Amino acid sequence: MSDRSRTIDPLLRLATRQSQLSSRKDLEPPLVHGVITQSVAKPMLKQARSNVGLPGWKTRTYETQVSKMKPNASRSVNGAPRRHTDNADKITGAHAAFDKLLSLFQRGEYDACLTAGIRFTKTWPKISFGWQLLAACCQAKGDHINAEAAGRRALQIDNSSADTHNIYGCTLKALGKHQDAGYHFGRAIELKPQNAEAHSNLGAVLVELSRFDEAEIMLRRAISLKPDFALAHYQLAATLRETDRPQEARKSFETALQHPPNLTPAHIGLGPLMTHTGDFKTAEQPYRAALSVEPANGALHYHVAFVKKFCANDPDLIV
């Protein structure tokens, strides 16, 4: 991929297309989301290293890749070439190995998943989904360097997978490569316009680039595709806060907390907005909720003490 293609600006182009996209019937929220998205949202979002969305997997595409596996040639006893007659067993083995790999990832057993993923990619190096899942596992463990390498390999095998572009974009975002991440999120949206996670991720990148108007468009689009997407509501709230719209931001933070998982950053973001509007009596609640998840967080204890000071009107309280 040339430098020029990476540096083109797909972000504004995608943002301006939203009015056209929203009128298309095929962009209604899907009834069934990706396999990974539903199963691992909670354990993945607990990884607080970066605010990124979650990938889904196209099982049909994976099965197509496996079905195209060719039996290897071997030599018989007399040296004449022959083909394996157990190709069906090989395909079954690939399915079983991938199912095991997927199960480990869904249960959050990332160390075991990493070991199994390396084994899978060595045995079936031309199946992009093995590299894709290996990249997601490395990302969950915070190993973004190896996640980038695995994601790049997955794209070399199959550059037409929206989910692979989305995962790779998440890794690039974690590495601070926001322009490149935006390119891959944009490609994911072009390939799969119903991908709420890619819209949310592109919105998060636009926030990092201080392009708040376009970020809001993307995040609202993500929410329209997936109304219970807590992370998109949280990111929208953060965007609204940055553009000095505290009342709207508070509503979005509260909406984010109505959907699982119970995002600690949403509690932390909600507290200052309550104090900003003078609502000190209820501002303690979100901080307390965040403390129940992160009891050793000194900043949260500070904020609780700060709110108590104003509620009790006690100038001697040390904060």
Side-chain angles (χ1 to χ4, degrees), residues 58 116 174 223 233 241 260 268 285 308:
K58 295 179 180 177
I223 291 169
H233 285 287
R241 182 181 58 194
I268 298 173
Q285 296 175 5
K308 279 186 173 181

Side-chain angles (χ1 to χ4, degrees), residues 1 6 55 132 135-136 139 144-155 162-175 177 180-181 183-185:
M1 188 175 298
R6 280 184 175 276
Q132 185 180 356
Q139 181 179 304
H144 303 303
I145 300 298
N146 282 320
E148 182 182 13
R152 186 166 56 248
R153 178 65 179 136
L155 284 173
D163 299 318
T164 304
H165 280 285
N166 190 40
I167 295 171
Y168 191 53
C170 292
T171 300
L172 293 173
K173 179 180 179 294
L175 290 170
K177 302 177 181 180
D180 286 353
Y183 169 82
H184 286 282
F185 292 141

Side-chain angles (χ1 to χ4, degrees), residues 71-131:
N72 297 323
S74 64
R75 296 281 174 178
S76 62
V77 176
N78 60 8
R82 63 182 175 86
R83 286 187 175 276
H84 287 297
T85 59
D86 59 347
N87 191 45
D89 292 338
K90 288 177 175 290
I91 294 174
T92 302
H95 279 299
F98 186 82
D99 288 343
K100 179 181 178 181
L101 183 61
L102 191 60
S103 178
L104 290 170
F105 183 83
Q106 289 173 336
R107 295 198 301 267
E109 300 178 18
Y110 300 127
D111 289 332
C113 179
L114 182 62
T115 301
I118 293 172
R119 187 184 306 117
F120 185 96
T121 53
K122 285 183 177 179
T123 307
W124 295 282
K126 294 185 178 181
I127 297 180
S128 67
F129 287 87
W131 294 100

Side-chain angles (χ1 to χ4, degrees), residues 284-306:
E284 186 178 351
Q285 296 175 5
Y287 288 129
R288 288 287 185 190
L291 273 173
S292 67
V293 180
E294 300 182 16
N297 190 322
L300 292 175
H301 286 283
Y302 174 92
H303 286 300
V304 169
F306 181 83

Side-chain angles (χ1 to χ4, degrees), residues 1 53 97 137 150 169 242 266:
M1 188 175 298
C137 181
E242 289 293 329

Side-chain angles (χ1 to χ4, degrees), residues 207 210 212 235-246 249 273:
V207 171
S210 299
F212 300 113
Q235 290 171 334
L236 176 60
T239 302
L240 295 170
R241 182 181 58 194
E242 289 293 329
T243 54
D244 197 25
R245 294 148 73 182
L273 289 176

